[in-house]
PDB file of all heavy atoms in Angstrom:
ATOM      1  N   LEU A 114     -77.006 168.099 330.610  1.00  0.00           N
ATOM      2  CA  LEU A 114     -77.403 168.379 331.954  1.00  0.00           C
ATOM      3  C   LEU A 114     -78.041 169.807 331.993  1.00  0.00           C
ATOM      4  O   LEU A 114     -77.641 170.662 331.262  1.00  0.00           O
ATOM      5  CB  LEU A 114     -76.270 168.222 332.995  1.00  0.00           C
ATOM      6  CG  LEU A 114     -76.021 166.786 333.426  1.00  0.00           C
ATOM      7  CD1 LEU A 114     -75.391 165.962 332.394  1.00  0.00           C
ATOM      8  CD2 LEU A 114     -75.189 166.818 334.672  1.00  0.00           C
ATOM      9  N   THR A 115     -78.881 170.019 333.014  1.00  0.00           N
ATOM     10  CA  THR A 115     -79.412 171.302 333.309  1.00  0.00           C
ATOM     11  C   THR A 115     -78.626 172.140 334.259  1.00  0.00           C
ATOM     12  O   THR A 115     -77.742 171.555 334.947  1.00  0.00           O
ATOM     13  CB  THR A 115     -80.891 171.217 333.898  1.00  0.00           C
ATOM     14  OG1 THR A 115     -80.766 170.573 335.195  1.00  0.00           O
ATOM     15  CG2 THR A 115     -81.821 170.360 332.953  1.00  0.00           C
ATOM     16  N   ILE A 116     -78.877 173.392 334.332  1.00  0.00           N
ATOM     17  CA  ILE A 116     -78.241 174.283 335.317  1.00  0.00           C
ATOM     18  C   ILE A 116     -78.420 173.667 336.780  1.00  0.00           C
ATOM     19  O   ILE A 116     -77.509 173.542 337.477  1.00  0.00           O
ATOM     20  CB  ILE A 116     -78.741 175.696 335.321  1.00  0.00           C
ATOM     21  CG1 ILE A 116     -78.345 176.361 333.974  1.00  0.00           C
ATOM     22  CG2 ILE A 116     -78.276 176.533 336.539  1.00  0.00           C
ATOM     23  CD1 ILE A 116     -76.896 176.692 333.844  1.00  0.00           C
ATOM     24  N   ARG A 117     -79.638 173.276 337.047  1.00  0.00           N
ATOM     25  CA  ARG A 117     -79.954 172.724 338.399  1.00  0.00           C
ATOM     26  C   ARG A 117     -79.135 171.475 338.656  1.00  0.00           C
ATOM     27  O   ARG A 117     -78.577 171.272 339.814  1.00  0.00           O
ATOM     28  CB  ARG A 117     -81.437 172.382 338.502  1.00  0.00           C
ATOM     29  CG  ARG A 117     -81.810 171.815 339.844  1.00  0.00           C
ATOM     30  CD  ARG A 117     -83.275 171.576 339.959  1.00  0.00           C
ATOM     31  NE  ARG A 117     -83.839 172.911 340.137  1.00  0.00           N
ATOM     32  CZ  ARG A 117     -85.107 173.136 340.094  1.00  0.00           C
ATOM     33  NH1 ARG A 117     -85.994 172.148 339.913  1.00  0.00           N
ATOM     34  NH2 ARG A 117     -85.522 174.378 340.339  1.00  0.00           N
ATOM     35  N   GLU A 118     -78.964 170.621 337.696  1.00  0.00           N
ATOM     36  CA  GLU A 118     -78.135 169.354 337.873  1.00  0.00           C
ATOM     37  C   GLU A 118     -76.652 169.748 338.064  1.00  0.00           C
ATOM     38  O   GLU A 118     -75.972 169.227 338.878  1.00  0.00           O
ATOM     39  CB  GLU A 118     -78.319 168.466 336.719  1.00  0.00           C
ATOM     40  CG  GLU A 118     -79.709 167.847 336.655  1.00  0.00           C
ATOM     41  CD  GLU A 118     -79.958 167.036 335.394  1.00  0.00           C
ATOM     42  OE1 GLU A 118     -79.702 167.644 334.271  1.00  0.00           O
ATOM     43  OE2 GLU A 118     -80.412 165.904 335.468  1.00  0.00           O
ATOM     44  N   LEU A 119     -76.101 170.763 337.320  1.00  0.00           N
ATOM     45  CA  LEU A 119     -74.760 171.191 337.468  1.00  0.00           C
ATOM     46  C   LEU A 119     -74.551 171.809 338.792  1.00  0.00           C
ATOM     47  O   LEU A 119     -73.496 171.556 339.441  1.00  0.00           O
ATOM     48  CB  LEU A 119     -74.376 172.138 336.342  1.00  0.00           C
ATOM     49  CG  LEU A 119     -74.284 171.550 334.958  1.00  0.00           C
ATOM     50  CD1 LEU A 119     -73.989 172.595 333.895  1.00  0.00           C
ATOM     51  CD2 LEU A 119     -73.298 170.438 334.807  1.00  0.00           C
ATOM     52  N   VAL A 120     -75.480 172.587 339.301  1.00  0.00           N
ATOM     53  CA  VAL A 120     -75.336 173.147 340.626  1.00  0.00           C
ATOM     54  C   VAL A 120     -75.249 172.096 341.721  1.00  0.00           C
ATOM     55  O   VAL A 120     -74.393 172.163 342.587  1.00  0.00           O
ATOM     56  CB  VAL A 120     -76.471 174.180 340.944  1.00  0.00           C
ATOM     57  CG1 VAL A 120     -76.448 174.561 342.380  1.00  0.00           C
ATOM     58  CG2 VAL A 120     -76.362 175.407 340.009  1.00  0.00           C
ATOM     59  N   ARG A 121     -76.055 171.043 341.576  1.00  0.00           N
ATOM     60  CA  ARG A 121     -76.051 169.942 342.521  1.00  0.00           C
ATOM     61  C   ARG A 121     -74.666 169.267 342.509  1.00  0.00           C
ATOM     62  O   ARG A 121     -74.059 168.941 343.519  1.00  0.00           O
ATOM     63  CB  ARG A 121     -77.133 168.950 342.211  1.00  0.00           C
ATOM     64  CG  ARG A 121     -77.274 167.822 343.211  1.00  0.00           C
ATOM     65  CD  ARG A 121     -78.300 166.800 342.839  1.00  0.00           C
ATOM     66  NE  ARG A 121     -78.110 166.176 341.521  1.00  0.00           N
ATOM     67  CZ  ARG A 121     -77.234 165.286 341.151  1.00  0.00           C
ATOM     68  NH1 ARG A 121     -76.380 164.831 342.104  1.00  0.00           N
ATOM     69  NH2 ARG A 121     -77.140 164.826 339.918  1.00  0.00           N
ATOM     70  N   LEU A 122     -74.141 169.070 341.263  1.00  0.00           N
ATOM     71  CA  LEU A 122     -72.888 168.373 341.092  1.00  0.00           C
ATOM     72  C   LEU A 122     -71.735 169.236 341.647  1.00  0.00           C
ATOM     73  O   LEU A 122     -70.792 168.712 342.269  1.00  0.00           O
ATOM     74  CB  LEU A 122     -72.565 168.047 339.633  1.00  0.00           C
ATOM     75  CG  LEU A 122     -73.402 166.863 339.104  1.00  0.00           C
ATOM     76  CD1 LEU A 122     -73.356 166.845 337.579  1.00  0.00           C
ATOM     77  CD2 LEU A 122     -72.934 165.562 339.700  1.00  0.00           C
ATOM     78  N   SER A 123     -71.857 170.539 341.524  1.00  0.00           N
ATOM     79  CA  SER A 123     -70.747 171.452 342.017  1.00  0.00           C
ATOM     80  C   SER A 123     -70.627 171.335 343.523  1.00  0.00           C
ATOM     81  O   SER A 123     -69.531 171.549 344.083  1.00  0.00           O
ATOM     82  CB  SER A 123     -71.060 172.930 341.582  1.00  0.00           C
ATOM     83  OG  SER A 123     -72.168 173.433 342.351  1.00  0.00           O
ATOM     84  N   ASP A 124     -71.703 171.005 344.186  1.00  0.00           N
ATOM     85  CA  ASP A 124     -71.650 170.824 345.684  1.00  0.00           C
ATOM     86  C   ASP A 124     -70.805 169.608 346.053  1.00  0.00           C
ATOM     87  O   ASP A 124     -70.313 169.539 347.210  1.00  0.00           O
ATOM     88  CB  ASP A 124     -73.031 170.681 346.278  1.00  0.00           C
ATOM     89  CG  ASP A 124     -73.870 171.979 346.204  1.00  0.00           C
ATOM     90  OD1 ASP A 124     -73.257 173.052 346.191  1.00  0.00           O
ATOM     91  OD2 ASP A 124     -75.075 171.919 346.234  1.00  0.00           O
ATOM     92  N   GLU A 125     -70.620 168.757 345.147  1.00  0.00           N
ATOM     93  CA  GLU A 125     -69.830 167.517 345.422  1.00  0.00           C
ATOM     94  C   GLU A 125     -68.351 167.612 345.136  1.00  0.00           C
ATOM     95  O   GLU A 125     -67.546 166.719 345.410  1.00  0.00           O
ATOM     96  CB  GLU A 125     -70.424 166.340 344.651  1.00  0.00           C
ATOM     97  CG  GLU A 125     -71.869 165.986 344.883  1.00  0.00           C
ATOM     98  CD  GLU A 125     -72.099 165.410 346.268  1.00  0.00           C
ATOM     99  OE1 GLU A 125     -71.223 164.876 346.872  1.00  0.00           O
ATOM    100  OE2 GLU A 125     -73.240 165.631 346.778  1.00  0.00           O
ATOM    101  N   LEU A 126     -67.943 168.711 344.445  1.00  0.00           N
ATOM    102  CA  LEU A 126     -66.548 168.889 344.031  1.00  0.00           C
ATOM    103  C   LEU A 126     -65.691 169.010 345.234  1.00  0.00           C
ATOM    104  O   LEU A 126     -65.962 169.687 346.224  1.00  0.00           O
ATOM    105  CB  LEU A 126     -66.416 170.078 343.212  1.00  0.00           C
ATOM    106  CG  LEU A 126     -66.935 169.961 341.776  1.00  0.00           C
ATOM    107  CD1 LEU A 126     -67.096 171.339 341.129  1.00  0.00           C
ATOM    108  CD2 LEU A 126     -66.179 169.049 340.882  1.00  0.00           C
ATOM    109  N   ARG A 127     -64.516 168.323 345.217  1.00  0.00           N
ATOM    110  CA  ARG A 127     -63.496 168.365 346.265  1.00  0.00           C
ATOM    111  C   ARG A 127     -62.126 168.752 345.679  1.00  0.00           C
ATOM    112  O   ARG A 127     -61.764 168.370 344.749  1.00  0.00           O
ATOM    113  CB  ARG A 127     -63.425 167.015 346.928  1.00  0.00           C
ATOM    114  CG  ARG A 127     -64.763 166.502 347.465  1.00  0.00           C
ATOM    115  CD  ARG A 127     -65.119 167.205 348.725  1.00  0.00           C
ATOM    116  NE  ARG A 127     -66.448 166.809 349.099  1.00  0.00           N
ATOM    117  CZ  ARG A 127     -67.576 167.569 349.065  1.00  0.00           C
ATOM    118  NH1 ARG A 127     -67.470 168.815 348.635  1.00  0.00           N
ATOM    119  NH2 ARG A 127     -68.692 167.185 349.429  1.00  0.00           N
TER     120      ARG A 127
END
Side-chain angles (χ1 to χ4, degrees):
L114 277 72
T115 66
I116 292 289
R117 179 176 286 171
E118 290 170 312
L119 291 176
V120 169
R121 184 184 56 76
L122 287 166
S123 73
D124 290 337
E125 301 291 334
L126 289 166
R127 306 284 174 250

